[in-house]
Each structure stands twice: as C-alpha cells, then as structure tokens.
Amino acid sequence: MADKYEQGRVRKRSKHVKTRSGRTKEVTVWNGILRYRAPNPKFVEPPKDGPDTRTQTQRRRTAWLEISTTFDPETVRTEKQARDELAKWKAQMELEAQRESLPSANTTVGDYVSSFVDDLEASQSVERRTVRDYRGIARRISAGFEDVALCDLTPTMIQKWENGLLASGLAATTVIKYHRLLSETCKHAVNVDVLVKNPCNAVKTPKRQAPSPNSLTAEGYARLAATLDSMEPTPLVTAAAIALHTGMRQGEVCGMRWRCYDPKARTIQVEESIGVANGGTYSKAPKTKASRRTVPVSPQLAAILERRRMAMVNELQEGEIELRPEEFGRLYVVGFIDGRFRDPLRICKEWKSMSGAFGLTGTQGRAITFHDLRHSFATRAIAAGADVKAVAAVLGHTNAAITLNVYADADPESKRRATDLVAHAIAAQGEVTPYAVSVGEDGSPELEG
C-alpha cells in the first residue's frame, strides 16, 4: 500500500510559560506537520447547461490537507530531535491509515475477495493474466455468497456452494481454482487478524482429475511434420513447426526472437513469452525459472527456420528496409518486420482453421489445438524412449514427475508395445515345463508337490 502522508515538515515557534516560582520564561516549541491528499470539500460538479462559473478551488476534486502535532518541549529541543520525532509520528500515522483501509470481518465475502485481488495486482505479485482470471473467479464467489459477511462464512456454506458448482457441470479443476482463491483470501484475513481461522480448511475439495493430453498419434505426428515442411514458412506454419518439434508454449513461440536462435549449435534460448490479459498482449518473462531453458532444434525444424529467415529478409528488402544484424536479431521469428510480436490468440485462431482443414484429431477424439502440439511432442518423445528428465527440461517443467504423470500414459500404442515386449520376452525363453496343477473339490487350481 502506498504511503498516505508526505514526509511533511517541522516548524519552530516560541511560547511563554510560567515557572514554579511564578516567573514567565520563553521556550522553543516544535510542531510536526504532515500533508496528504483528500477529496476537496469545496468541489462543485460542473453545470450540465450554461457557462461554468466555478472558481479554480471549486474545480479541483482533491485538495492538500494538513495535520499537525506539538512535540514535548522538555524532550524535543533541537531541529534534529524534532525531525526524528516527525519520522516516528509519520510511521505511526501510516500504520493507523493502513489499518483503517483494511476491510473488516463485516465486509461481504465478495467485497473482501475483490479487495484481496486488488492488493495482489497493486503489489505485482501475480501476472496480469492471473489477475484477470482472479477477477472472474471473484465475481463467481460474490454471486455465490451474496450479502454474506466474511465473519459469517462457514465450512458448511462453502461445501454446499462448491458441491453446487460441480452439480452445475463445472469441471473439478475449475472448482478447485475457485476454492484456492477463496482459501487464500481467508488465509490473508487470518494473517491480518480479521478472522480467527480459515473456514476453507475444513472443506473437502473435489478430487483432481488426471489430465488426458489430446496428442497426435505416431502416424499423425509424422504426417503433420511432413506437411509443415512442404509449406511456405508463413508465421502460422513456422509457429506450428516450432511447437511440434520443441514442445514450446504458444506464448514462448510468439516471444522467440532471432537472437534467441543459434543455427550453428541448433538451439533456441527461451527467454521471453507473450502474455494475454484484459483484451491486450504484453511481453513477460517465462512462466517459471525452469521455463528459462535451452531447447535443441531438429534438422527438420532448422530447415524451416532458415526458410523463415530468408522470407523475412526478402520482405525487408521489398519494403526497402535495412537492418543491422543486431536489429534483425531483435525481430520476432513469427512476428512482423516492424518489430511487433504476434498475438498468441490470433495464432491459435488461425491454427484452428488449419487444423480443421487437415482434419487433425487427437488420441482423445478431439480436434488438435495449438497447445496440443506441445502435448504431441512430449507424448512422442516419451513413447520413443527419451529420458523423462530430458523431456521435462525441454518442456520447461519444474519436476520430471509432472512430465511422467501427464504423458507416460497418454499413448495407447506405447502401452500395447509394452505388453508385446513382455510377451516376446516370455517367448524368448523357449519351451519350458509348466507347474503341475490339479483341481480341488471347489474347482480352484492347486499346485502339486
């Protein structure tokens, strides 16, 4: 929270006081003064019709106001002592202002959650897209607990609300997101002494459903790779090829600059991503520390990138634009020659049309989205026997267990190959003598001596 008061100033004045003997003496008294912005009590709304006859003071919506205090003349005698006392007084007043600004336990649940999201946005502790998602969730929470004060919120009420969300058809993962924000809000309320305990702690959340990647089959993956390789290196074709051959996220693909690609080492340095929030796009750092990574480039992708580079060079020449190597390196690979990046949502929309034209369908029976290209890369890499930790590093996962849990079971063909391998291993033993088995009175098999 920003400070309410300016540092202010100290002011010295003289004061005559009586001593015990009845005489009068002059002492120095120091005052501390703090300034702050507040709504102007003299402000007047502009007239709807006719001339505006307001004075300058009446036109201002805010005004500078002052508060002052007198320091003890017995202990504060010098200007340095006065400034030290002013700093202490300012800190005390700021603390009181912060406490007054905090929502109370009587605030409605919806208002308190909205205030919590406002604080997260002001502190820049979460991304803009996350703030956008939180605001949508906050509206759902507000509608679910309309006119309910935070102090009256109970585990039973929360459980009933979440069960209702599930019954309405919302996915378990969505309900878990709602629960998480409400719980974080209540946790914050406990930390600032607004609540005694977090009512969300006693609520049983729905079981998280294991994700099922909608990846391409081995044949579909190979056909799409060959198709992209045969096409002109447009931004969309290049973006799809990068995602298919590296598993990079759509924001990372759009945030890839030419300086990030090393054609000699055949590597891509992931150092930027394009985010989407509030109807706009913005450049940001990769999702996590693990997302800042070096991604190897296959020969097939290297050829596509080289064709894309030449296409952009030709486009610059046609526009009679000359760029130094370092200036060209700042251009986005799937961006524009004027230095702008492409909107990830636009790329996804264009891919949806291309995927539909190709008739691409994944292992889950759904159309292949742009993000499914990332799933396809991971699934095919693990099915081909790649080391799980290596695949996790390429994908930018913080933990190889995430990669294993999501993708190890995603390819039905690899599971069939696993059972076939076991069958082949048994057959390789040649002719063996089976155990002697007899049948008991109840029909169950019994091993003989």
Side-chain angles (χ1 to χ4, degrees):
M1 176 180 175
D3 288 350
K4 175 180 179 179
Y5 300 97
E6 284 194 350
Q7 181 62 46
R9 65 187 189 279
V10 294
R11 183 175 60 191
K12 180 174 70 172
R13 61 186 177 86
S14 298
K15 181 180 179 181
H16 290 87
V17 298
K18 286 186 177 182
T19 64
R20 291 182 179 180
S21 62
R23 295 181 179 181
T24 301
K25 71 173 183 178
E26 186 179 70
V27 297
T28 299
V29 178
W30 289 92
N31 283 12
I33 302 169
L34 294 175
R35 299 175 72 226
Y36 65 98
R37 279 278 189 186
N40 181 11
K42 297 181 181 180
F43 170 74
V44 176
E45 292 286 349
K48 295 182 178 179
D49 300 312
D52 190 346
T53 59
R54 297 176 301 165
T55 65
Q56 289 296 325
T57 301
Q58 292 173 332
R59 294 170 186 265
R60 298 189 185 100
R61 292 184 178 273
T62 61
W64 284 107
L65 301 182
E66 291 185 347
I67 57 173
S68 63
T69 187
T70 301
F71 301 129
D72 184 0
E74 296 295 326
T75 58
V76 180
R77 299 178 180 179
T78 66
E79 182 176 353
K80 182 180 182 307
Q81 290 174 333
R83 292 193 177 281
D84 290 342
E85 287 299 312
L86 176 65
K88 294 178 184 178
W89 181 51
K90 179 178 182 296
Q92 179 183 350
M93 294 301 293
E94 292 289 2
L95 183 60
E96 291 180 5
Q98 290 183 18
R99 287 174 176 170
E100 290 175 0
S101 67
L102 286 175
S104 69
N106 293 320
T107 304
T108 63
V109 175
D111 287 344
Y112 199 97
V113 174
S114 295
S115 176
F116 177 66
V117 175
D118 289 342
D119 290 342
L120 291 177
E121 182 178 27
S123 65
Q124 298 182 357
S125 57
V126 294
E127 289 186 9
R128 280 183 274 179
R129 180 170 182 175
T130 304
V131 171
R132 182 196 66 179
D133 294 342
Y134 280 177
R135 294 205 183 283
I137 296 174
R139 288 192 291 270
R140 294 295 297 266
I141 293 175
S142 180
F145 301 101
E146 190 175 3
D147 298 329
V148 176
L150 186 67
C151 59
D152 295 332
L153 189 63
T154 66
T156 302
M157 295 168 65
I158 300 171
Q159 189 75 69
K160 183 178 179 181
W161 174 64
E162 293 185 6
N163 291 345
L165 292 176
L166 288 171
S168 69
L170 282 184
T173 52
T174 303
V175 176
I176 291 173
K177 289 180 181 179
Y178 290 5
H179 175 90
R180 185 181 297 120
L181 178 59
L182 182 58
S183 181
E184 286 298 316
T185 303
C186 293
K187 180 180 177 181
H188 172 266
V190 173
N191 291 339
V192 296
D193 298 327
V194 172
L195 289 180
V196 176
K197 61 181 180 180
N198 185 349
C200 293
N201 290 343
V203 176
K204 187 174 182 180
T205 58
K207 186 177 180 181
R208 183 186 295 273
Q209 298 172 348
S212 299
N214 185 44
S215 60
L216 289 162
T217 63
E219 180 187 1
Y221 188 93
R223 288 188 64 187
L224 178 59
T227 303
L228 295 175
D229 190 38
S230 67
M231 299 175 71
E232 290 295 321
T234 63
L236 175 60
V237 169
T238 307
I242 294 172
L244 186 69
H245 287 282
T246 68
M248 288 169 59
R249 302 176 178 92
Q250 61 196 49
E252 296 169 343
V253 172
C254 291
M256 176 186 166
R257 300 177 190 258
W258 281 112
R259 69 186 180 200
C260 302
Y261 172 54
D262 185 342
K264 292 183 179 179
R266 284 204 284 110
T267 58
I268 295 172
Q269 198 68 35
V270 180
E271 58 183 32
E272 184 179 356
S273 183
I274 306 303
V276 181
N278 300 323
T281 53
Y282 61 99
S283 174
K284 62 175 183 176
K287 190 174 180 180
T288 62
K289 184 178 179 180
S291 295
R292 287 183 173 273
R293 63 198 188 277
T294 301
V295 178
V297 172
S298 66
Q300 193 173 13
L301 177 58
I304 295 174
L305 290 174
E306 183 56 32
R307 295 202 301 273
R308 174 61 184 165
R309 183 197 296 273
M310 291 307 301
M312 291 190 73
V313 169
N314 292 336
E315 191 176 352
L316 287 167
Q317 290 175 347
E318 291 174 1
E320 297 182 351
I321 302 173
E322 294 185 7
L323 294 181
R324 295 190 298 273
E326 62 272 17
E327 292 174 327
F328 185 85
R330 288 194 289 270
L331 296 181
Y332 292 95
V333 174
V334 297
F336 301 89
I337 59 173
D338 61 3
R340 291 177 296 137
F341 53 75
R342 265 186 168 74
D343 186 341
L345 294 183
R346 181 68 180 176
I347 290 287
C348 290
K349 185 176 180 180
E350 293 174 353
W351 168 255
K352 184 178 181 180
S353 298
M354 181 181 286
S355 176
F358 291 159
L360 296 179
T361 303
T363 53
Q364 299 301 313
R366 302 188 302 269
I368 292 291
T369 65
F370 192 89
H371 191 71
D372 288 337
L373 299 178
R374 172 177 168 86
H375 291 320
S376 299
F377 168 81
T379 303
R380 299 268 60 84
I382 292 178
D387 179 71
V388 175
K389 287 188 176 181
V391 176
V394 172
L395 294 174
H397 286 166
T398 55
N399 192 329
I402 298 174
T403 314
L404 191 63
N405 291 339
V406 174
Y407 298 109
D409 191 48
D411 183 19
E413 297 173 11
S414 64
K415 290 188 288 186
R416 180 171 294 279
R417 284 196 299 272
T419 56
D420 288 345
L421 286 172
V422 174
H424 289 318
I426 295 174
Q429 297 298 318
E431 187 175 345
V432 294
T433 304
Y435 292 104
V437 178
S438 61
V439 179
E441 295 180 357
D442 58 355
S444 61
E446 294 180 350
L447 293 179
E448 295 182 352

